[in-house]
Amino acid sequence: MPIPEDVTGDEIDKDVRQELLSLPKTLAEDVAKNLVMVARLIDEDPEGAYGYSKVALRLASRVAAVREAAGFAAYATQKYSEALAEFRAARRMSGGVELWPVMADCERGLGRPEKALDMAGAPEVNKLDKAGQVEMRLVAAGARRDMGQLDAAIVTLQSPELAAGSVQPWTARLRYAYADALLAAGREGEAREWFAKALEADRDGSTDASDRLAELDGVDFVDALDEHGTETESGTEIESESASETAAEADGAVVEKATEADEADEADEADEVEDPAEGKGVSDEAEHGVVDRDED
């Protein structure tokens, strides 16, 4: 797959670069560039990221960072079985537990929420850092919801991290998940409160808490342009139509008055023919400006 000219491979994390030192220099550079493309595309173009991850995997399948990147690319495209296999391989190579929560979420994706809950109670969770433990809690709550256990999902999310006043990288997502669970349980008032709290903590726009709040408040966003690009919502088109109707009515009135005036002139001419004397009188009056044409 083509690599853009601005990608050098030096953009990768130093720990990943360290892993690639086991490869020949040219090969390591090629792998690094493909890993950079995976990271660059995974959010906006998951399929593209997946393609680059397969190239990196073909070049260096024995590097843990490559297996991990391939796992995340497969996960982003909902290839959960493939993602789980790659995560397991990466974990065997590195010996770490950082991938434990996303491995559990793959189990959810495969329709095995019970397995995800088993992993949430495993000893590996105690080895996770705070961010990993919060992630594991989110996965466990999701598994409870998969099983229709809404109340249990709400309880699972109730934690010191949820109640903390300080904002951490996981705060917005944790509050959002809690609000969503409350709403699913029919507790709309509490849900609105927590969606608002999630929005306060969402500094990078990782959730759609603002849209959920608007939905709860009954706010309906309507596009100001119709399919023809006309500003119908602002009233411009309506005003234009009204103006056109008014102009048409005015034109009709002018035509009607002109027609009445023509008919009046024809009647005067007919009178002049029938009675020359009266006709002369009318002419004399018109000559002195006595006749008011508007009355005709």
Side-chain angles (χ1 to χ4, degrees):
M1 298 181 69
I3 303 291
E5 294 182 0
D6 65 321
V7 175
T8 65
D10 295 334
E11 301 89 343
I12 61 173
D13 184 87
K14 63 179 182 179
D15 292 334
V16 177
R17 189 180 298 112
Q18 186 69 28
E19 286 190 56
L20 297 180
L21 290 178
S22 61
L23 303 174
K25 184 178 180 181
T26 302
L27 179 59
E29 290 176 353
D30 289 342
V31 173
K33 290 179 181 179
N34 279 280
L35 293 180
V36 170
M37 293 305 299
V38 172
R40 178 179 289 189
L41 298 177
I42 197 163
D43 291 330
E44 296 181 359
D45 182 12
E47 289 292 343
Y50 179 75
Y52 283 103
S53 75
K54 299 299 284 187
V55 175
L57 194 60
R58 186 174 67 250
L59 295 174
S61 62
R62 295 185 180 182
V63 176
V66 172
R67 302 302 290 265
E68 181 176 330
F72 277 110
Y75 179 81
T77 54
Q78 300 183 3
K79 298 177 176 67
Y80 297 117
S81 181
E82 183 177 339
L84 185 57
E86 296 300 340
F87 289 142
R88 284 173 175 167
R91 182 169 177 265
R92 284 195 304 269
M93 293 176 183
S94 66
V97 295
E98 296 81 6
L99 296 173
W100 196 254
V102 70
M103 290 170 62
D105 206 40
C106 285
E107 296 287 0
R108 285 186 59 212
L110 292 169
R112 301 194 292 252
E114 298 88 352
K115 178 62 176 176
L117 286 177
D118 289 342
M119 294 180 69
E124 284 82 355
V125 176
N126 297 325
K127 301 177 184 179
L128 294 169
D129 60 13
K130 182 61 67 177
Q133 290 178 1
V134 170
E135 194 66 35
M136 193 71 247
R137 190 177 293 275
L138 288 168
V139 173
R144 291 291 185 187
R145 291 190 61 174
D146 293 343
M147 299 167 66
Q149 301 173 2
L150 284 176
D151 291 338
I154 292 172
V155 172
T156 299
L157 294 169
Q158 292 172 345
S159 62
E161 293 81 16
L162 179 67
S166 61
V167 175
Q168 303 295 333
W170 61 78
T171 303
R173 293 178 58 241
L174 183 59
R175 292 177 179 178
Y176 182 93
Y178 188 58
D180 195 48
L182 288 169
L183 186 61
R187 295 159 63 174
E188 187 172 313
E190 295 174 83
R192 192 200 179 286
E193 176 186 351
W194 281 97
F195 276 128
K197 290 182 178 181
L199 181 59
E200 291 175 0
D202 194 359
R203 296 170 178 172
D204 59 356
S206 61
T207 73
D208 63 345
S210 60
D211 293 338
R212 301 296 297 275
L213 271 174
E215 183 180 345
L216 286 173
D217 291 340
V219 177
D220 186 16
F221 296 102
V222 180
D223 192 348
L225 299 178
D226 66 4
E227 61 180 355
H228 302 297
T230 310
E231 296 184 41
T232 54
E233 294 300 324
S234 63
T236 303
E237 182 179 9
I238 296 173
E239 292 176 0
S240 298
E241 291 178 354
S242 299
S244 299
E245 292 175 357
T246 303
E249 291 175 356
D251 290 342
V254 171
V255 172
E256 184 177 354
K257 286 183 177 294
T259 303
E260 291 177 354
D262 290 342
E263 291 176 352
D265 290 341
E266 291 176 359
D268 289 343
E269 291 176 0
D271 290 342
E272 288 178 1
V273 172
E274 292 177 1
D275 192 346
E278 283 188 73
K280 184 176 184 304
V282 171
S283 298
D284 290 342
E285 289 174 353
E287 186 176 350
H288 289 87
V290 176
V291 176
D292 188 349
R293 289 291 182 185
D294 290 339
E295 293 181 359
D296 291 339

